[in-house]
Amino acid sequence: MKVLVIGGGAREHALCRSLSLDPGVTAVHCAPGNAGITEVAETHPVDAQDGAAVAALATELGADLVIVGPEAPLVAGVADVLRDHGFPVFGPSAEAARLEGSKAFAKDVMAAAGVPTARSYVCTTPTETDEALDAFGAPYVVKDDGLAAGKGVVVTSDVAVARAHALACDRVVIEEFLDGPEVSLFAVTDGETVLPLQPAQDFKRALDGDEGPNTGGMGAYSPLPWADPKLVDEVLQTVLQPTVDELRRRGTPFSGLLYAGLALTSRGVRVIEFNARFGDPETQVVLARLQTPLAGLLLNAATGRLAEQPPLRWSDGAAVTVVVASHNYPGTPRTGDPIEGLDAAAAVEGAYVLHAGTRRDDAGRVVSAGGRVLSVTATGDDLDTARERAYKAVSRVRLAGSHHRTDIAAKAAQDARAAR
């Protein structure tokens, strides 16, 4: 099978890496890719949001499966163009991708499907904003209605900060704050059958102890030793399957990766948000533990044959990803800095480096090219071992001005130790 992956971040590097290890895959291509993806796939300089250009590349390559990684091409309808050209595509249509592209649309779908979520108001004027903020009180949760690369959400106890964010957006969703730990659960679906993957937890705040501004994600781990073993089945029955059924009922079936961001509140599971694609950095740890060959699974979803998929196989161990970010991220990041120590980091037992924002400069050096630069990932028999390996590998990376969190999976590892 020849597989084409669209995108150029650490999520796509993780996908390409897993596909390159799949015995059923003969060639992996990625467009546009990055400096690290070139090690496991052939890269092509194509605009990921240009459906015609992506379809032309898929035709030229004779791709047997196209996987659309990021949200922007999905919302732009790239998957639709590819399907019109006859390609099996893993990724929803533009209409179904509105589940991520519009927070208001997602709330409407959840209400119709009876999916538990936070109470909310959609606001387009200063008066509506003030009334909603007053109704819910602090902490304030304000979400840009459109795509914002993981940084369109403000959670704050400062009403002035909440109001300023709301007024900077054309349309916002203001909702009640959900207490309790957060969980990310991915599900592969062909529009009817829904197959959940293993849950993960990511870390949105920039600094240790969940301090600092929201980011696209500073790290993740899987499994979640503290989570109820029945959680996945519960979310499948109350969230994932009803949402997929509702979208199919509306005539816009969702085929691809449905990502549920969940809060495990004192009143039960609540959906924080949906995404229409693999999450980053959770993909890095979920795929690190998936033993079922990836290409066949995603092809079954793309061709409506997911009901035929054998049960998924998972490693018993753990995986941890630590994001190395550029100077000033999540503000305007500094780019162009050389990255050293990549080979030394990859030499750590059980560890490997997934590139997010990297490129090669004119001298052939790997340099930073974005806010989140690397996802340093490691596996081990337990979270302690995976953490130790991941941070040992991080310590070997040298990038001027970079920063990373030092507490990824620390509490979960401590809880797992205490339970043993």
Side-chain angles (χ1 to χ4, degrees), residues 233-244:
D233 283 341
E234 178 188 346
V235 175
L236 174 62
Q237 298 301 325
T238 63
V239 174
L240 299 169
Q241 191 71 57
T243 300
V244 169

Side-chain angles (χ1 to χ4, degrees), residues 322-350:
V322 179
V323 170
V324 177
S326 293
H327 174 72
N328 201 43
Y329 178 78
T332 303
R334 190 175 77 202
T335 60
D337 289 314
I339 306 166
E340 299 176 330
L342 293 171
D343 289 342
V348 173
E349 182 184 0

Side-chain angles (χ1 to χ4, degrees), residues 11-175:
R11 161 188 47 229
E12 287 76 35
H13 194 170
L15 288 164
C16 288
R17 179 182 181 273
S18 290
L19 292 165
S20 73
L21 299 172
D22 186 332
V25 174
T26 54
V28 183
H29 298 268
C30 188
N34 61 40
I37 290 175
T38 57
E39 297 172 10
V40 292
E42 183 179 344
T43 59
H44 305 268
V46 169
D47 179 354
Q49 294 191 56
D50 185 338
V54 171
L57 175 62
T59 300
E60 177 188 333
L61 297 174
D64 300 302
L65 172 66
V66 183
I67 301 166
V68 183
E71 58 272 28
L74 290 167
V75 172
V78 169
D80 302 82
V81 176
L82 286 161
R83 286 194 181 93
D84 288 345
H85 282 74
F87 291 101
V89 184
F90 186 80
S93 66
E95 187 65 25
R98 290 180 64 207
L99 204 58
E100 176 170 5
S102 168
K103 303 289 190 298
F105 176 75
K107 288 289 187 182
D108 183 61
V109 171
M110 283 188 270
V115 170
T117 186
R119 293 180 298 118
S120 64
Y121 296 104
V122 178
C123 305
T124 57
T125 68
T127 300
E128 290 175 348
T129 294
D130 291 339
E131 289 175 352
L133 292 173
D134 186 55
F136 288 130
Y140 304 100
V141 182
V142 184
K143 300 179 176 182
D144 189 337
D145 184 45
L147 292 179
K151 292 182 285 185
V153 179
V154 165
V155 181
T156 179
S157 294
D158 187 332
V159 68
V161 172
R163 190 173 191 273
H165 179 64
L167 298 182
C169 306
D170 290 335
R171 185 160 85 148
V172 293
V173 173
I174 296 176
E175 62 184 38

Side-chain angles (χ1 to χ4, degrees), residues 296-322:
L297 168 64
L298 302 191
L299 182 65
N300 279 343
T303 54
R305 300 201 311 268
L306 200 56
E308 304 169 16
Q309 175 69 38
L312 301 181
R313 293 180 291 109
W314 299 91
S315 74
D316 292 330
V320 172
T321 283
V322 179

Side-chain angles (χ1 to χ4, degrees), residues 276-308:
R277 38 74 195 183
F278 279 104
D280 185 340
E282 301 97 321
T283 299
Q284 289 85 302
V285 292
V286 172
L287 292 187
R289 297 186 53 231
L290 179 64
Q291 294 182 330
T292 297
L294 183 63
L297 168 64
L298 302 191
L299 182 65
N300 279 343
T303 54
R305 300 201 311 268
L306 200 56
E308 304 169 16

Side-chain angles (χ1 to χ4, degrees), residues 225 413-420:
Q414 180 182 354
D415 291 347
R417 272 198 310 275
R420 286 202 292 268

